[in-house]
Amino acid sequence: PQGTLFGAGSEGGTVRYITPQPSLTDYSGMAHTELSGTEGGGLSFDGGAAVGGPLVEDKVGFRVSGWARRDGGYIDKVDPYSGQTTDSDANRTNTYVVRGALTFAPIDNLTITPSYNFEQRSVNNYNQFWVGSSDRNQGQFYDGTPEHMRDLDRFDLASLKIQYDFDDFQVISNPSFFARSERVNGYSGTLYNLSYFQQITSSTDDQGHHLDPNGNTCTPCGHHPVLLTPNGINLPGFGPYVSNNYITNDQSNVTQEVRIQSSDKDAKLSWVAGVFYAGNKQSSNEEINDPQLPALTEYLWNEGMAKAWGMGLLPGGDDYDNNTK
């Protein structure tokens, strides 16, 4: 059964990453690099190296590896009001990976292998562009979203494998700890809010009077321009408006597996038995930070927050906050 062989949750399929283990007898190493380019964009490159071998012959061995990658961007970030480029090839990504492992063989048939894996990915800006201000035939892609649309993702994985080999079977213990933290601009809070406000400002009662967010007639109303056009944001007389969306995901998993399995490859019967424990915690927080909402409310409806929305901003200047654990 896959759940027994590869852990909980693998019944739908399993992808196994089998990394080279530290050797107690031989040295080995490798290195590679790659370079490429994107038409109308930046350079991409990656490089990695690994080395390992015995520190104490037949007793202690090590293996370390590192890898870094840069994916060059091709979408330019522009100011939505002036049209000036603020960041060329903004949708670039940097990724870093480090792994280290030690193997100890203090007595015959016993090996102890602690290992640590680290990975960090940093997406500078999303792969999105504004169709109205871009020219796809000329390979010119522009993103005028006011926010810095990032994705910062990091995880740490530590494990400790203990294996004892008997004549016909093995006993293996493998505890591990996994921690992951991701902070991402899941979507544009500015464009999301303005599209919602556009819907409200276009609503009227039976007499054709405009309505405020509470559904009441706003008299006299503020400004009711078309807030979003094919070429960008339209807030004449208001100035720049930015509302950031943040999604923060945190995860921590602790697992412990103990397995007993046959080791005689020539035996007519192969068997495996074991127990598995997992303790998982995960939290997700989605928020839209909108400290300019009071000023924008006055601009659009000529009303304060309490009258237009029935309440003020949430702590920290948020107009939306959702926590899931």
Side-chain angles (χ1 to χ4, degrees), residues 74-85 128-146 191 229-233:
Y74 57 91
I75 300 174
D76 293 339
K77 188 83 170 175
V78 299
D79 186 288
Y81 303 99
S82 67
Q84 297 297 313
T85 299
Q128 60 185 18
F129 62 92
W130 286 15
V131 176
S133 56
S134 300
D135 188 341
R136 287 173 287 181
N137 294 328
Q138 298 298 321
Q140 297 173 344
F141 301 95
Y142 301 107
D143 176 22
T145 307
L191 303 184
T229 71
N231 292 318
I233 299 171

Side-chain angles (χ1 to χ4, degrees), residues 122-197:
S122 174
V123 179
N124 183 65
N125 205 72
Y126 279 12
N127 295 326
Q128 60 185 18
F129 62 92
W130 286 15
V131 176
S133 56
S134 300
D135 188 341
R136 287 173 287 181
N137 294 328
Q138 298 298 321
Q140 297 173 344
F141 301 95
Y142 301 107
D143 176 22
T145 307
E147 302 97 301
H148 196 166
M149 302 294 291
R150 302 182 182 184
D151 185 350
L152 306 176
D153 190 1
R154 166 185 173 152
F155 77 72
D156 301 83
L157 172 63
S159 65
L160 176 64
K161 181 182 179 181
I162 303 174
Q163 177 175 323
Y164 192 88
D165 297 324
F166 291 91
D167 291 338
D168 299 320
F169 66 94
Q170 301 169 321
V171 178
I172 300 171
S173 172
N174 200 351
S176 67
F177 174 75
F178 174 79
R180 182 179 184 182
S181 178
E182 180 184 29
R183 184 173 175 88
V184 54
N185 291 87
Y187 53 86
S188 170
T190 303
L191 303 184
Y192 179 91
N193 279 359
L194 290 179
S195 64
Y196 176 59
F197 301 155

Side-chain angles (χ1 to χ4, degrees), residues 11-70:
E11 284 81 0
T14 299
V15 177
R16 299 181 68 193
Y17 289 90
I18 303 176
T19 56
Q21 297 300 299
S23 174
L24 301 179
T25 57
D26 301 311
Y27 278 95
S28 64
M30 59 84 65
H32 81 275
T33 186
E34 181 178 312
L35 178 67
S36 63
T38 302
E39 184 177 358
L43 288 175
S44 299
F45 53 88
D46 73 64
V51 64
L55 294 174
V56 178
E57 190 78 19
D58 296 325
K59 292 297 182 180
V60 182
F62 79 99
R63 181 84 178 182
V64 294
S65 60
W67 176 76
R69 180 182 178 92
R70 166 87 164 211

